[in-house]
Amino acid sequence: MVQFYSPNRRTINRHIITVTADNLDAQGQGVARHQGKTVFVAGLLPGEQAQVQLTEEKRQFAKAKLVKRLSDSPYRVSPCCPHFGVCGGCQQQHVAPDLQRESKASVLEHLIWRETGVTVSAKPVILSPEYGYRRRARLGLQYHMKQRQLVMGFRQNQSNEIVAVKRCPVLQPELEQLLQPLSQCLSNLKAAKRLGHVELVLADNGPLIILRHLDPLKGEDKEKLCTFAVQHHAAVYLMADETTLEPLNNSPEPWYQVDGLKLVFSPRDFIQVNETVNQQMVAQAMEWLDLQPNDRVLDLFCGMGNFTLPIARKVQAVVGVEGVATLVANGQYNAKLNNLDNISFYHENLEANIHQQPWAKLGFNKVLLDPARAGAAGVMSHIVKLAPEKVVYVSCNPTTLARDSKTLLEAGYHIISVRMLDMFPHTGHLESMVLFSRIDCGG
């Protein structure tokens, strides 16, 4: 009989154990200790004792599911949303907002210290409204053949099943009010079985609805959507594929304001989800940069100019570099719209060899960057080469922020200030911004 080598599998102790959480991670999981090993327990708060069962065990940590909570933390609150615990959109509605922010700030401080050896404070936190903060959301659509019903909502945690969402308190009220009537409208379409997803966006001049459909829509369905758009004062856009966008009704182009400027955008463009935090974030970045009339500023990963345009009003010149062509085109359009002629936008791949790109040959004395989750490893060495006085790094991933910080620190820069941005309350997303300076002065 042939025998095949099989490595020893780590057996999981399925017995019930009792633990007490002493911390909370950024994802809202309780952090406990058992026999010298860290145990993560979803739904457990610091100070709470519980009976748990291990579900995954590694050499240095384990995960467990809550069996029975034996005590309650004073930081435990009643979730506002009736779908919490089933819907995977929020993870921390049972946690008091102060503890959420404190835990995320502590995680950010720890990651920076672990990667760089520098002790920082991520406070004061840039605050958000507790609820009603999201101006953009993408909802899944799933047709159940047996029930002959279209379900619209968010996915369950670690599942492809859609939770039918009738309320969503984290959405801005104008979008939350659309949930039930929109679900009913889409359910009544002939194409209900062949819909992909729907995206809701709140521009300053009204709500947008972007519907992904897998087959061409019949005239009857388009009429129903037009009627819905009129009734709810919304602009409807149809997406037959990932590259086309068809406006269904004659609505004005969407826009939002930042720092008193008007930024027009395409419904598919990235815009910051939390308007309140975005306004504060832009103001904080400009304050940290200490913008002066003779400054030349570089804005990397600039999008359509969320930072670029406000900066331009205070400096000699600003250059924005972005890898998405449509965002660059919108940035150029918005610069003209706001009568700003000291901005140059470049469409370049910042993950490629940037040293040969035309913007790289220009001089700058201050730099701002706002990369995606992968960070900015490809541009850090060039930023050092530019030798700017100040660098502001805005991040949606504290791990890559901490990694990229080392390049600046090793080049003689100092971390002056750190802020945790409460961009996504009740979720595990952690956003932040850091000010670096070549001169160790207060900031």
Side-chain angles (χ1 to χ4, degrees):
M1 179 177 178
V2 178
Q3 293 184 339
F4 294 95
Y5 168 74
S6 177
N8 293 328
R9 294 182 178 177
R10 187 178 298 276
T11 58
I12 301 175
N13 178 8
R14 298 290 183 179
H15 295 114
I16 305 296
I17 60 175
T18 300
V19 298
T20 301
D22 57 19
N23 211 336
L24 196 71
D25 72 359
Q27 303 300 316
Q29 298 180 112
V31 182
R33 303 287 187 277
H34 182 71
Q35 296 181 347
K37 182 175 291 188
T38 300
V39 181
F40 297 98
V41 187
L44 197 62
L45 301 186
E48 292 182 337
Q49 188 180 61
Q51 293 177 341
V52 304
Q53 186 178 49
L54 297 184
T55 58
E56 181 181 344
E57 190 166 9
K58 303 291 185 182
R59 180 165 299 179
Q60 295 183 346
F61 72 92
K63 294 183 179 180
K65 65 178 180 180
L66 184 65
V67 176
K68 183 179 181 181
R69 198 168 62 249
L70 304 176
S71 62
D72 283 342
S73 164
Y75 290 102
R76 180 171 292 277
V77 297
S78 297
C80 180
C81 180
H83 307 294
F84 179 72
V86 181
C87 170
C90 294
Q91 301 82 43
Q92 299 190 30
Q93 286 194 20
H94 64 298
V95 185
D98 286 348
L99 180 58
Q100 292 184 39
R101 295 163 184 152
E102 178 69 30
S103 300
K104 290 183 181 181
S106 296
V107 168
L108 176 60
E109 292 165 359
H110 174 73
L111 285 172
I112 291 176
W113 173 82
R114 188 183 69 185
E115 288 294 317
T116 68
V118 177
T119 300
V120 300
S121 170
K123 296 179 274 295
V125 170
I126 291 182
L127 299 176
S128 165
E130 185 179 346
Y131 288 101
Y133 65 85
R134 286 195 72 108
R135 62 178 171 184
R136 184 173 210 132
R138 176 168 163 167
L139 296 103
L141 298 171
Q142 197 171 67
Y143 192 84
H144 290 175
M145 299 298 291
K146 289 184 178 180
Q147 294 85 358
R148 295 183 180 181
Q149 182 181 20
L150 180 71
V151 176
M152 183 182 86
F154 300 108
R155 297 192 186 281
Q156 295 182 25
N157 189 31
Q158 297 181 334
S159 169
N160 287 324
E161 286 298 310
I162 300 293
V163 179
V165 172
K166 297 181 178 180
R167 286 190 58 210
C168 183
V170 298
L171 287 182
Q172 290 206 2
E174 295 92 332
L175 297 183
E176 187 184 24
Q177 291 165 10
L178 291 175
L179 291 177
Q180 294 195 50
L182 178 60
S183 177
Q184 185 64 43
C185 174
L186 298 180
S187 297
N188 290 332
L189 299 183
K190 298 291 186 183
K193 298 177 185 178
R194 297 289 293 162
L195 300 178
H197 64 263
V198 64
E199 195 160 3
L200 304 179
V201 184
L202 186 62
D204 282 10
N205 55 332
L208 318 175
I209 298 168
I210 303 106
L211 178 63
R212 175 75 169 96
H213 55 99
L214 306 179
D215 295 330
L217 294 184
K218 304 293 185 182
E220 181 183 348
D221 281 352
K222 289 185 177 182
E223 287 180 11
K224 289 178 181 178
L225 289 168
C226 282
T227 300
F228 179 90
V230 171
Q231 290 175 341
H232 296 276
H233 308 286
V236 175
Y237 296 81
L238 302 179
M239 280 180 59
D241 55 52
E242 295 299 327
T243 60
T244 60
L245 193 67
E246 175 193 350
L248 190 61
N249 50 344
N250 294 321
S251 298
E253 52 191 6
W255 54 270
Y256 74 91
Q257 287 192 36
V258 60
D259 195 42
L261 297 167
K262 181 178 179 179
L263 273 68
V264 171
F265 64 96
S266 165
R268 297 181 63 201
D269 283 349
F270 170 82
I271 62 171
Q272 292 289 352
V273 163
N274 191 318
E275 177 191 7
T276 302
V277 171
N278 185 53
Q279 298 284 352
Q280 296 178 79
M281 177 177 69
V282 171
Q284 181 68 86
M286 293 198 296
E287 179 187 327
W288 277 355
L289 287 171
D290 186 25
L291 300 171
Q292 302 299 323
N294 292 326
D295 285 341
R296 291 182 52 80
V297 182
L298 174 65
D299 182 5
L300 297 171
F301 311 93
C302 67
M304 62 179 186
N306 187 60
F307 290 99
T308 327
L309 272 67
I311 288 172
R313 294 200 298 181
K314 297 179 178 293
V315 301
Q316 177 186 343
V318 58
V319 167
V321 188
E322 168 59 45
V324 180
T326 55
L327 293 178
V328 171
N330 281 344
Q332 293 168 334
Y333 177 86
N334 285 320
K336 292 179 182 177
L337 182 67
N338 290 280
N339 298 312
L340 297 168
D341 58 5
N342 60 338
I343 305 176
S344 299
F345 284 98
Y346 290 84
H347 174 218
E348 299 288 350
N349 180 4
L350 290 171
E351 295 178 357
N353 180 7
I354 64 172
H355 302 292
Q356 300 304 313
Q357 296 176 9
W359 65 268
K361 299 176 175 63
L362 306 176
F364 306 94
N365 65 319
K366 292 172 183 177
V367 173
L368 182 141
L369 64 159
D370 184 8
R373 291 190 60 80
V379 301
M380 297 310 296
S381 62
H382 191 76
I383 292 174
V384 169
K385 183 179 177 182
L386 292 171
E389 302 162 20
K390 296 178 184 291
V391 177
V392 171
Y393 190 133
V394 180
S395 169
C396 60
N397 184 347
T399 301
T400 51
L401 165 66
R403 177 202 68 197
D404 294 343
S405 296
K406 289 194 291 186
T407 304
L408 293 173
L409 295 172
E410 290 168 358
Y413 284 81
H414 303 276
I415 294 178
I416 304 300
S417 294
V418 179
R419 294 286 185 274
M420 199 284 282
L421 308 174
D422 194 24
M423 186 76 79
F424 298 98
H426 309 301
T427 77
H429 296 293
L430 197 170
E431 307 238 348
S432 57
M433 56 195 300
V434 180
L435 169 64
F436 298 87
S437 176
R438 284 192 295 132
I439 304 169
D440 194 3
C441 56

